[in-house]
Amino acid sequence: MNQIQTPFFRIKEKDLLYDISLLREALSLNWGNYVMGYSVKTNSLPWLLVYLKQQGFYAEVVSRTEFDLAIRLGFPAQHIIYNGPIKDKKVFERVLLSHGYVNLDSSYELDWMEELSALYPNNEFRIGLRVNCDLAALCPEEELAAQEGGRFGYCYENGILAAAISNLSRLPNVRIAGLHLHSSTQSRTVQVFASLARMAVRIAREYSLTLSYVDMGGGYFGGRDDKPDYRDYFREIGRELSAFFDPAQTVLIAEPGVSLISRATTFETSVIDIKDIRGTKFVVTDGSRTNLNPLVTRHVYPHHIKYISDASVRNKTASQWVCGATCMEYDRLFEIVNGPSLLPGDRIIYDTAGGYTMCLNPLFINYFPAVYAEHEDGSLFTARQAWTNEEFLQKNYME
Ligand SMILES: Cc1ncc(COP(=O)(O)O)c(C=O)c1O
């Protein structure tokens, strides 16, 4: 592997399969009747999407571009879960008519349903509604993604959800078949998912909904031994849902993103140079903070080092600052305090890195790094070549 040009992302199939089977078993054991969706926006690497499709996943998409990509990669339209506040009318119609899952989120979608209902009077439409509920009130301990609360879906507390249910119920060929409860929080606790499942029960009871599915969304921890995993989440979700729903009638949908892939992904870089600037050692590497955290807000980058030669016989350096490949001063990743002096050729490998940023990666100074998939037998498959000016110049025009 050492001859492979850094920087690159690696996806280890063995670890990916481990998390896939954890999810499958958790859903199977705790509910039985389930659909595994995968959040395409998290990492839309074509190799990964096809791999997950072969593992039985549906594609959870939030844009026309993602929908088109999923279809081009072979997902059938009935295996699409269409979410998000900005929907495309044509995609909306196609997914609904193909019996895929559409979770309504915005006001204009209610008007679209009215139009579609009249346009296809003989079609039976099954739709879902994204629920917005007051998580801060339900789980005061939870660290929310945004202080003022979530912005997606129809608000339960102020009656907007009730109004949407009432408007849709008037359409003779439209059935509210599902509730979507995705809510990202910082703390990703099991309790928040238990509360959301209880909310699904409460809404179904309150509005006498007969649901074919409950979509619990994503937002789980995964790939971390110090955190809960799918088994913990779905034990609680299953327990709460079973107060009202029957697995024989109601499908449980999960649509994880980062929790499914973070254990399997690493970002691998090399030390290129060591600079001594007035006593501070700067270790220049060929990867960048922008490859791992495009908004450069993070200060912790879990990693391990593969030394090119025996590190135990090297001198120790009091402080070494590992820096990235861009010409930005902020491109500094972490400090090594009193560690073996690094040398050009040493490899710095960032663990659980790239889940999101394999694709959420700025085309800044350098373009997308390569991605290699490591099969269970250790062989490598080039899932994506590093982008060059060949790709960057596409569809650019110069006068
Ligand atoms: C609707 C929806 N589903 C699933 C996900 C995946 O979330 P995560 O990557 O935290 O599992 C997201 C991410 O924000 C989302 O918005």
Side-chain angles (χ1 to χ4, degrees), residues 12-26 36 51-52 55 57 222-225 229-231 259-261 263-264 376:
K12 289 201 192 91
E13 185 182 14
K14 183 165 161 274
D15 291 337
L16 186 57
L17 282 173
Y18 177 81
D19 280 316
I20 293 172
S21 61
L22 218 55
L23 176 65
R24 205 190 309 272
E25 280 159 27
M36 297 189 300
Y51 190 90
L52 293 176
Q55 290 291 326
F57 279 78
R224 287 183 54 170
D225 295 332
D229 65 37
Y230 297 133
R231 291 169 290 199
S259 58
L260 195 68
I261 52 179
R263 186 194 310 270
E376 285 187 285

Side-chain angles (χ1 to χ4, degrees), residues 274-299:
I274 315 289
K275 302 185 73 166
D276 188 333
I277 308 277
R278 287 180 290 282
T280 303
K281 289 272 194 292
F282 290 105
V283 177
V284 181
T285 67
D286 57 5
S288 164
R289 205 173 158 192
T290 60
N291 297 124
L292 296 172
N293 177 223
L295 301 179
V296 287
T297 46
R298 242 169 63 195
H299 294 282

Side-chain angles (χ1 to χ4, degrees), residues 138-207:
L138 292 175
C139 312
E141 306 298 309
E142 198 75 18
E143 264 179 82
L144 303 181
Q147 227 181 352
E148 56 285 356
R151 68 184 174 95
F152 300 109
Y154 303 98
C155 180
Y156 171 71
E157 288 80 11
N158 68 6
I160 288 184
L161 178 71
I165 293 173
S166 148
N167 287 344
L168 291 164
S169 305
R170 278 193 225 112
L171 305 174
N173 52 347
V174 174
R175 185 165 81 81
I176 298 167
L179 292 176
H180 180 214
L181 294 114
H182 174 82
S183 271
S184 300
T185 67
Q186 301 277 346
S187 34
R188 297 176 182 249
T189 64
V190 171
Q191 292 87 304
V192 82
F193 285 91
S195 299
L196 289 168
R198 267 198 301 279
M199 191 42 111
V201 167
R202 181 163 157 187
I203 292 170
R205 273 204 180 118
E206 194 171 330
Y207 300 103

Side-chain angles (χ1 to χ4, degrees), residues 20-255:
I20 293 172
S21 61
L22 218 55
L23 176 65
R24 205 190 309 272
E25 280 159 27
L27 286 164
S28 168
L29 190 70
N30 294 296
W31 201 250
N33 186 9
Y34 63 91
V35 163
M36 297 189 300
Y38 168 69
S39 156
V40 169
K41 75 166 151 310
T42 303
N43 185 331
S44 51
L45 183 80
W47 177 89
L48 182 64
L49 295 184
V50 169
Y51 190 90
L52 293 176
K53 173 171 66 83
Q54 287 161 353
Q55 290 291 326
F57 279 78
Y58 287 26
E60 187 264 332
V61 302
V62 294
S63 71
R64 182 181 185 129
T65 313
E66 287 187 349
F67 171 78
D68 288 343
L69 177 67
I71 295 293
R72 278 179 71 163
L73 294 175
F75 284 91
Q78 67 266 37
H79 288 186
I80 296 287
I81 304 165
Y82 193 25
N83 287 332
I86 295 291
K87 292 203 178 65
D88 176 273
K89 202 171 183 183
K90 285 258 157 8
V91 172
F92 184 87
E93 182 174 334
R94 173 146 172 222
V95 177
L96 278 177
L97 292 175
S98 309
H99 307 293
Y101 293 97
V102 177
N103 291 314
L104 276 56
D105 189 303
S106 301
S107 345
Y108 63 86
E109 293 171 73
L110 302 173
D111 301 335
W112 287 359
M113 274 326 302
E114 216 169 310
E115 283 174 38
L116 284 181
S117 156
L119 198 61
Y120 299 96
N122 298 324
N123 194 76
E124 196 62 35
F125 289 100
R126 258 176 18 138
I127 52 113
L129 293 176
R130 177 143 176 193
V131 175
N132 186 312
C133 57
D134 187 354
L135 270 188
L138 292 175
C139 312
E141 306 298 309
E142 198 75 18
E143 264 179 82
L144 303 181
Q147 227 181 352
E148 56 285 356
R151 68 184 174 95
F152 300 109
Y154 303 98
C155 180
Y156 171 71
E157 288 80 11
N158 68 6
I160 288 184
L161 178 71
I165 293 173
S166 148
N167 287 344
L168 291 164
S169 305
R170 278 193 225 112
L171 305 174
N173 52 347
V174 174
R175 185 165 81 81
I176 298 167
L179 292 176
H180 180 214
L181 294 114
H182 174 82
S183 271
S184 300
T185 67
Q186 301 277 346
S187 34
R188 297 176 182 249
T189 64
V190 171
Q191 292 87 304
V192 82
F193 285 91
S195 299
L196 289 168
R198 267 198 301 279
M199 191 42 111
V201 167
R202 181 163 157 187
I203 292 170
R205 273 204 180 118
E206 194 171 330
Y207 300 103
S208 308
L209 302 176
T210 309
L211 297 185
S212 318
Y213 71 92
V214 174
D215 182 343
M216 293 303 299
Y220 317 95
F221 271 120
R224 287 183 54 170
D225 295 332
D226 57 336
K227 298 289 182 186
D229 65 37
Y230 297 133
R231 291 169 290 199
D232 306 304
Y233 292 112
F234 288 104
R235 191 181 309 118
E236 280 307 294
I237 291 171
R239 213 164 54 81
E240 294 292 348
L241 290 182
S242 59
F244 185 70
F245 300 105
D246 174 0
Q249 314 297 332
T250 308
V251 175
L252 172 58
I253 301 181
E255 37 181 61

